[in-house]
Amino acid sequence: DPENLRACVPWSTAIPRAFGFLMASPELSSPLDVAPEVDDPWADLHAPLWGLTTPLWLAPLRVPLALVLICVRLPLLLALLLVEALVFRLAIVGARVPTRLGDAPLAAWRSAVIRGATMVIQRLWLWCVGVWCVERETAPGADLATPHKLIVANHIGYIEIWALQAWFAPGFVAKRGMLDLPVLGSMAAAAQNIFVDRASAESRHATGDCIAARADPASPFPPCAIFPEGTTTNGTSVIQMQRGAFRPGHAVRALAFACPFGHTGFNPCW
């Protein structure tokens, strides 16, 4: 989309400045005030299976090692999913789970159990897919003292979703149809996500009201995470954002995710 391409922020400037305009940085007055060079945020950056990014000694071992790791990690992921589903199910026994605007939040102890299980298990999920270390940097002058109930971040795939859950255990904005999925539907409801029917204008409006209500620092609900770009990119750029997350006027915690994939040639972005 040419309109979005003109609003891209190259990662060369995006790491320190991606969300500078949200924090009223004097260096960056708007998301369009960026360096003139533009990266294509939808270019395919995956290296070929036997690409030159792989050391010669490792190339012949990639497929055998991948098969071994899949046989170990996939059962671990499934086991962790079942454990998390069981904890969620026990935590909401006898409770009415909030799925619509106006529904009361879960009791504090139920939310604490769910958030604790989420933060531990999602960190183990990251380990299972090879993300052993997540480096975190705080931008100079960032306000960490003000309560932030809204979290905004760039969207590159699945890694940042698990990372957000491991750090904050937030709720997300999800399709209402997700509630019909076995196991995952009840887990999504227990996490107190915001559910929207995109085909219904009334549902979309109610979702905006729900986001505004949860953005209040006094809200008893868990934090809410939103990807304001509305789509995924390859991680080289930040594209133009939607305004919905910022309309409530409350403080937001802005995060910029980058996934360097080094000599392996694997890029988790899609």
Side-chain angles (χ1 to χ4, degrees), residues 4-191:
N4 275 335
L5 280 175
R6 284 197 291 272
C8 292
V9 183
W11 269 120
S12 58
T13 59
I15 291 297
R17 303 174 65 197
F19 296 103
F21 69 94
L22 297 180
M23 297 179 285
S25 168
E27 300 179 358
L28 189 59
S29 58
S30 78
L32 301 183
D33 177 20
V34 298
E37 68 272 13
V38 173
D39 296 328
D40 182 356
W42 294 284
D44 185 2
L45 301 182
H46 288 80
L49 182 61
W50 305 103
L52 298 178
T53 57
T54 303
L56 292 179
W57 65 269
L58 181 59
L61 300 177
R62 290 186 66 170
V63 173
L65 286 175
L67 293 176
V68 172
L69 289 174
I70 287 176
C71 293
V72 174
R73 290 176 174 176
L74 187 58
L76 283 175
L77 283 170
L78 293 177
L80 289 170
L81 176 62
L82 292 177
V83 170
E84 189 172 12
L86 178 60
V87 172
F88 279 31
R89 173 61 67 178
L90 293 176
I92 62 175
V93 169
R96 180 178 178 181
V97 180
T99 59
R100 299 181 182 276
L101 178 65
D103 288 350
L106 292 175
W109 72 267
R110 297 180 189 271
S111 294
V113 170
I114 292 171
R115 294 194 66 195
T118 297
M119 296 173 76
V120 172
I121 292 177
Q122 294 302 317
R123 186 64 191 90
L124 294 175
W125 275 40
L126 288 172
W127 179 84
C128 285
V129 297
V131 182
W132 297 345
C133 178
V134 179
E135 297 181 1
R136 301 171 65 175
E137 297 182 6
T138 301
D143 179 10
L144 301 181
T146 303
H148 302 83
K149 295 303 291 279
L150 277 183
I151 302 167
V152 296
N154 59 313
H155 196 10
I156 55 180
Y158 59 92
I159 295 294
E160 74 277 8
I161 297 176
W162 294 351
L164 284 170
Q165 291 180 320
W167 293 340
F168 307 106
F172 291 86
V173 178
K175 295 180 180 178
R176 178 160 292 277
M178 190 175 185
L179 290 171
D180 299 327
L181 297 177
V183 182
L184 295 179
S186 60
M187 292 178 65

